[in-house]
Amino acid sequence: MRRLPFIKPPTGWPDFITELVIVVLGVFIALAAQEAVNNWNARRDLAEFRSAVDREIAENLAAYEQRTEQSACAGARLDQLEAWQDDWRDGAGPAMLGRIRRPIGYTLSQDVWSSGVAANLREMPLEQRLRYAALYASFQTYENLRLREAAVWQSLYGYDQARSLTSPEVNALRGLILSARSLAWSIDGNWEELKEQAAAMRITPARYTLDEATRRLCTPIEFTRTLQASNRS
């Protein structure tokens, strides 16, 4: 069997090994540098994502807080409606002259959180991830309550400027008042928990100003001073 000729590097083995080590080290350095760049980019993207999410949360907190600022006036409005329906239980009561109006609940945003979850949550520590998820779960709870509350108050609008009430209308009004109170209690209770969660993450509501619609809610409804008997079937 014929043996292959032994090939010696032109510059000798020591130089060849030195060059090989240099090449290998260069590859490792390039890979390490690329990994460092990738890590830096990931940290930068995560920091930008967190900053954007924190702003979205602060704006959502402001929107939610605006609703809770209306709770006292909304409760007073329900007190008036309850007293009105009590008057009509016996078949006679005042006519409504004013408008009922309702607490205004603003829609909360989840756009930033939803758009960046897949790309950035892999780099976020688990504890932070769970805290953000808990905040947005509370936001979703509020959204569900807000829509239900709006539907109840829309039904209450059917009594706007009513001159008289029948017995079925009195009973229906009573049910709507109880539903509105229950939803308001849930909204305020959820807010207290959400506020504590956000404070633990050092996030506070953005600045806001209550609008004219909110101030109108605090104006009592006007009724006639004389009692009227129901003549509707």
Side-chain angles (χ1 to χ4, degrees):
M1 181 176 179
R2 186 176 179 182
R3 299 177 63 182
L4 295 175
F6 180 76
I7 301 176
K8 183 180 180 181
T11 58
W13 284 108
D15 291 341
F16 173 78
I17 293 174
T18 300
E19 292 175 1
L20 180 61
V21 169
I22 292 173
V23 170
V24 172
L25 286 176
V27 171
F28 278 116
I29 291 172
L31 292 174
Q34 184 61 49
E35 182 69 16
V37 170
N38 291 340
N39 290 338
W40 183 86
N41 287 335
R43 288 194 298 270
R44 181 200 60 191
D45 292 344
L46 178 59
E48 292 177 352
F49 173 67
R50 283 195 58 190
S51 178
V53 170
D54 288 353
R55 285 195 301 271
E56 183 174 67
I57 290 172
E59 291 169 0
N60 284 346
L61 291 173
Y64 199 148
E65 191 171 40
Q66 286 184 71
R67 167 57 192 83
T68 62
E69 289 287 335
Q70 303 169 62
S71 292
C73 292
R77 179 62 40 94
L78 292 174
D79 290 342
Q80 277 196 292
L81 292 175
E82 187 170 18
W84 183 54
Q85 63 93 25
D86 281 341
D87 288 338
W88 278 102
R89 279 184 177 180
D90 296 328
M96 184 186 298
L97 302 178
R99 304 294 301 275
I100 290 178
R101 307 194 185 282
R102 69 177 179 89
I104 303 300
Y106 298 96
T107 303
L108 306 187
S109 174
Q110 299 192 29
D111 294 342
V112 176
W113 174 252
S114 299
S115 66
V117 165
N120 294 284
L121 283 191
R122 293 190 303 271
E123 306 296 331
M124 186 180 292
L126 177 60
E127 184 178 354
Q128 282 185 0
R129 193 186 318 169
L130 293 176
R131 287 187 175 186
Y132 278 119
L135 284 174
Y136 277 91
S138 294
F139 288 152
Q140 187 58 55
T141 297
Y142 167 72
E143 279 294 289
N144 296 335
L145 292 170
R146 180 185 67 82
L147 293 174
R148 290 169 58 192
E149 182 183 55
V152 169
W153 281 89
Q154 289 290 346
S155 297
L156 286 170
Y157 280 177
Y159 294 88
D160 256 5
Q161 299 180 324
R163 311 298 296 178
S164 61
L165 296 176
T166 64
S167 179
E169 288 172 333
V170 169
N171 293 333
L173 178 58
R174 176 65 175 169
L176 291 172
I177 291 170
L178 291 175
S179 295
R181 289 194 191 279
S182 176
L183 289 166
W185 180 85
S186 297
I187 287 173
D188 289 343
N190 186 59
W191 167 247
E192 292 303 320
E193 181 179 353
L194 176 59
K195 187 166 57 174
E196 291 180 3
Q197 292 173 335
M201 300 179 69
R202 300 182 180 178
I203 304 176
T204 57
R207 298 182 63 181
Y208 62 88
T209 302
L210 293 177
D211 56 22
E212 182 61 29
T214 302
R215 289 190 287 271
R216 286 198 297 267
L217 176 66
C218 296
T219 303
I221 305 172
E222 293 184 7
F223 296 92
T224 58
R225 295 184 178 181
T226 57
L227 299 183
Q228 301 184 44
S230 175
N231 57 8
R232 292 192 292 170
S233 59

